[in-house]
Amino acid sequence: MIIVDGNPISISVSKSPSQGREILASLLENPILINASARLKEVPERNFSISEHVKHVYVFQREYATVDPKHVQLVGTDEATTCVGLVIRNRNNGMTSVGHMDFSGVVDKGLTQMLQLVVDREATLDVHLIGGFDDVSTKHAIRLTGPEGHKKKEGYSFPLCCKIVEALQNSQEKFHLQTLCVLGHNTKIDSYGNARPIIGGFLVDTSSGLIMPANFDKSSRSPDEIVRRIRVSVSSDDPSWHGKLLETYDTHHDRFQIAPCSWMNNWGRIAFMLQKLSDSEILFKCSTSPSAEPLDFVESQRRIWSYLAKNPDWRQTFSGRKPHIFKRDNHGGWLKCV
């Protein structure tokens, strides 16, 4: 159930294919949530670097992490264009879960994963949805047949947002929705006339629950950045991860454990060919929102392909099919143990 300012939302429609749309439409018009989005957009964006020596946890696309404020001060994600960041925080003990959801197929199981260590008998759950924008375009659109038989165009963000609010509303838990900075509330038009997200990343202060817009430099998207990026792609071929968010962070021991994943040997050949693409070709072939990607998107793709070209056999990365384990160093960074 979704609660806004102490009041459960009232939606007349029963469970149906349009339920998520009805819920989302109502929430997007809620003046309390509109004001909350406006306040968030006024907060200066924080440029976060590991050199700050703050204990933080970074969440990549299709990952989630639940953190304990006794161990972690900040948790966050960025690089979200059509994706949506979901924050669930237990107001009583500060346990905070952040998920970076990239398509509706991971919402149901992903929400269950995120709630596992956040919910208790006394829990009051604060929720924030940040990311996604009005991304409808001629090239990147999902065509749906509406009830009147005409075709509608919907981008990637809208169906994802519909699914998330529907899952929250149908849950047995009570979610106190604090922020809904998505879609039209998170869209700006650049000098070329392209729609772009206003906020593509954020940090959560686990002690206070404060949310701030943020972007992370390359050093702070750690540990095991390239391998974790690769897992997002190859996990779709692993049946054990179907419908789930990827687990990387061990809440109880404050460490990262990157489970082994495999990829076909032909990935090396494919990666070698992809490296020959121009920057513009990479954007249009590899992104759901080419005109809205951050500046380092192309560079990140090239680094992934360079790694795969050099390591076509996944066993070079996960010797003995053992996970990669990282523990914190004395400065809040990460040291590889295994």
Side-chain angles (χ1 to χ4, degrees), residues 16-69:
S16 70
S18 64
Q19 183 192 28
R21 301 175 185 217
E22 296 286 343
I23 297 169
L24 184 60
S26 175
L27 293 173
L28 288 172
E29 295 174 355
N30 186 288
I32 294 172
L33 295 175
I34 291 173
N35 290 335
S37 291
R39 290 193 299 271
L40 180 64
K41 287 180 285 190
E42 291 175 354
V43 177
E45 184 178 70
R46 179 169 176 176
N47 298 311
F48 187 81
S49 169
I50 201 168
S51 62
E52 295 186 34
H53 303 313
V54 176
K55 289 186 176 180
H56 81 286
V57 166
Y58 180 81
V59 178
F60 275 104
Q61 178 181 343
R62 206 179 300 171
E63 289 185 350
Y64 85 100
T66 301
V67 302
D68 188 326

Side-chain angles (χ1 to χ4, degrees), residues 188-257:
K188 63 182 178 182
I189 305 299
D190 66 18
S191 58
Y192 298 99
N194 298 312
R196 302 176 63 91
I198 297 171
I199 300 177
F202 58 85
L203 276 167
V204 185
D205 186 309
T206 58
S207 296
S208 65
L210 179 68
I211 307 282
M212 66 199 85
N215 68 74
F216 296 75
D217 69 10
K218 192 185 304 182
S219 70
S220 60
R221 295 175 185 146
S222 57
D224 227 8
E225 177 204 358
I226 296 300
V227 172
R228 287 164 70 188
R229 288 186 186 276
I230 291 172
R231 288 207 320 158
V232 175
S233 298
V234 301
S235 64
S236 59
D237 297 324
D238 186 342
S240 65
W241 288 110
H242 282 179
K244 294 182 180 180
L245 294 172
L246 296 169
E247 297 174 352
T248 54
Y249 178 71
D250 183 338
T251 307
H252 298 297
H253 298 95
D254 185 33
R255 67 179 186 178
F256 272 85
Q257 182 165 318

Side-chain angles (χ1 to χ4, degrees), residues 1-4 88 111 115 119 125-127 167-169 171-177:
M1 177 188 297
I2 298 175
I3 299 172
V4 178
I88 304 175
L111 180 60
L115 290 173
V119 174
L125 303 177
D126 288 333
V127 172
L168 293 173
Q169 178 67 5
S171 172
Q172 294 181 350
E173 305 297 335
K174 295 180 180 180
F175 298 103
H176 295 261
L177 185 58

Side-chain angles (χ1 to χ4, degrees), residues 64-68 95-98 113-114 117-118 249-251:
Y64 85 100
T66 301
V67 302
D68 188 326
M95 292 290 288
T96 304
S97 191
V98 171
Q113 290 172 284
M114 293 177 68
L117 298 179
V118 175
Y249 178 71
D250 183 338
T251 307

Side-chain angles (χ1 to χ4, degrees), residues 104-338:
S104 57
V106 298
V107 171
D108 288 330
K109 290 183 180 178
L111 180 60
T112 299
Q113 290 172 284
M114 293 177 68
L115 290 173
Q116 287 175 349
L117 298 179
V118 175
V119 174
D120 58 36
R121 292 182 179 180
E122 306 298 326
T124 299
L125 303 177
D126 288 333
V127 172
H128 307 265
L129 272 71
I130 304 168
F133 69 109
D134 284 336
D135 61 310
V136 176
S137 71
T138 303
K139 176 177 173 57
H140 297 280
I142 299 172
R143 293 187 177 273
L144 300 174
T145 302
E148 296 84 13
H150 66 278
K151 289 186 175 181
K152 298 180 179 180
K153 291 182 180 178
E154 295 181 349
Y156 292 87
S157 296
F158 179 74
L160 176 57
C161 289
C162 289
K163 181 60 179 178
I164 293 174
V165 297
E166 179 183 291
L168 293 173
Q169 178 67 5
N170 291 337
S171 172
Q172 294 181 350
E173 305 297 335
K174 295 180 180 180
F175 298 103
H176 295 261
L177 185 58
Q178 306 294 328
T179 309
L180 186 70
C181 191
V182 300
L183 301 175
H185 299 323
N186 191 42
T187 301
K188 63 182 178 182
I189 305 299
D190 66 18
S191 58
Y192 298 99
N194 298 312
R196 302 176 63 91
I198 297 171
I199 300 177
F202 58 85
L203 276 167
V204 185
D205 186 309
T206 58
S207 296
S208 65
L210 179 68
I211 307 282
M212 66 199 85
N215 68 74
F216 296 75
D217 69 10
K218 192 185 304 182
S219 70
S220 60
R221 295 175 185 146
S222 57
D224 227 8
E225 177 204 358
I226 296 300
V227 172
R228 287 164 70 188
R229 288 186 186 276
I230 291 172
R231 288 207 320 158
V232 175
S233 298
V234 301
S235 64
S236 59
D237 297 324
D238 186 342
S240 65
W241 288 110
H242 282 179
K244 294 182 180 180
L245 294 172
L246 296 169
E247 297 174 352
T248 54
Y249 178 71
D250 183 338
T251 307
H252 298 297
H253 298 95
D254 185 33
R255 67 179 186 178
F256 272 85
Q257 182 165 318
I258 316 301
C261 62
S262 59
W263 51 86
M264 301 296 290
N265 288 341
N266 64 351
W267 265 104
R269 177 178 55 81
I270 295 171
F272 179 77
M273 298 298 295
L274 290 171
Q275 286 179 299
K276 298 180 180 180
L277 295 176
S278 67
D279 289 359
S280 59
E281 287 174 325
I282 290 173
L283 281 168
F284 279 89
K285 288 181 179 292
C286 302
S287 171
T288 57
S289 51
S291 61
E293 291 294 351
L295 295 175
D296 59 354
F297 175 83
V298 170
E299 179 197 353
S300 295
Q301 293 298 312
R302 292 194 185 281
R303 288 191 293 121
I304 291 171
W305 297 332
S306 176
Y307 184 95
L308 287 170
K310 294 175 182 177
N311 301 274
D313 188 337
W314 65 270
R315 288 167 292 193
Q316 295 172 275
T317 299
F318 292 102
S319 179
R321 202 170 179 82
K322 294 180 180 179
H324 292 180
I325 298 176
F326 298 81
K327 66 178 182 180
R328 284 203 191 271
D329 62 23
N330 294 330
H331 303 291
W334 300 100
L335 290 172
K336 190 173 182 179
C337 305
V338 179

